[in-house]
Amino acid sequence: MGAILLTACEGMEITGPDTFDRPNDKWQQVDKERESIFGEGGLSFGGADEKRKGQGGTGIGVNAFLWRATLDTVSFMPLASADPFGGVILTDWHSTSNSPNERYKLNIYIIGQALRADGIRVAAFRQVKNGANEWQSVAIDPKAVTDIENAILTRARQLRSESMTQ
């Protein structure tokens, strides 16, 4: 029986993890599109595989450098939820001892597996206590959101640079 199975597997090409269909893998989808237009391997300037090196691809569904950089950057805030496969990090409300009547909350979305400036989205929320001692939502400066995104991206680039020198 075993000999029949081994004989049936003869000639099968096993190429590794890329044989599995991963619908959320952007690079796999790009490769499929490339294969359908330009044939197997597609048309590549600089090599598709070379482009992937150093992008932080791991077993998680998002870029590992962005994921770790996000956790490092918001480590001063309590985490409400962190989903490494969906790329969503939600913090709980946080206020500083200097301004106890003001609090912040962040929803951070890591998009895709590439370390790119548009690979992260931050939604920030701010509340202040009103005269009745109730929390009330107020607008947050859009520059603050951009600053948070930039801090995460800077940390991600540092982590990537450190990993390449090791």
Side-chain angles (χ1 to χ4, degrees):
M1 180 71 171
I4 293 172
L5 286 174
L6 287 175
T7 303
C9 293
E10 187 177 7
M12 289 181 62
E13 184 177 334
I14 299 173
T15 59
D18 282 338
T19 58
F20 301 105
D21 188 31
R22 295 182 307 264
N24 293 331
D25 186 348
K26 182 178 111 185
W27 290 108
Q28 189 179 42
Q29 299 306 318
V30 168
D31 287 344
K32 283 183 179 178
E33 290 173 12
R34 204 176 286 143
E35 289 174 8
S36 64
I37 296 172
F38 298 107
E40 188 173 335
L43 178 62
S44 171
F45 298 100
D49 291 335
E50 293 298 320
K51 191 175 181 180
R52 288 188 195 185
K53 289 181 181 175
Q55 292 294 314
T58 62
I60 64 175
V62 295
N63 182 281
F65 299 119
L66 283 174
W67 178 257
R68 188 167 156 210
T70 301
L71 291 176
D72 286 354
T73 304
V74 301
S75 64
F76 66 94
M77 299 180 79
L79 286 182
S81 171
D83 176 12
F85 299 102
V88 179
I89 297 174
L90 307 175
T91 69
D92 206 353
W93 289 103
H94 172 72
S95 60
T96 63
S97 59
N98 294 340
S99 56
N101 294 327
E102 181 180 39
R103 66 183 185 174
Y104 295 92
K105 177 179 172 49
L106 299 174
N107 293 350
I108 303 165
Y109 306 97
I110 301 169
I111 304 162
Q113 294 188 339
L115 177 54
R116 300 171 30 149
D118 62 350
I120 191 156
R121 298 269 191 277
V122 173
F125 306 94
R126 178 178 169 231
Q127 290 184 336
V128 294
K129 278 190 179 175
N130 61 18
N133 205 23
E134 297 172 343
W135 292 107
Q136 183 175 19
S137 295
V138 292
I140 193 165
D141 183 9
K143 184 181 179 317
V145 173
T146 303
D147 290 345
I148 294 167
E149 289 175 347
N150 287 337
I152 293 169
L153 289 167
T154 300
R155 179 67 183 140
R157 285 186 214 109
Q158 289 172 345
L159 291 170
R160 180 179 174 191
S161 177
E162 289 171 9
S163 74
M164 294 179 113
T165 59
Q166 294 176 356

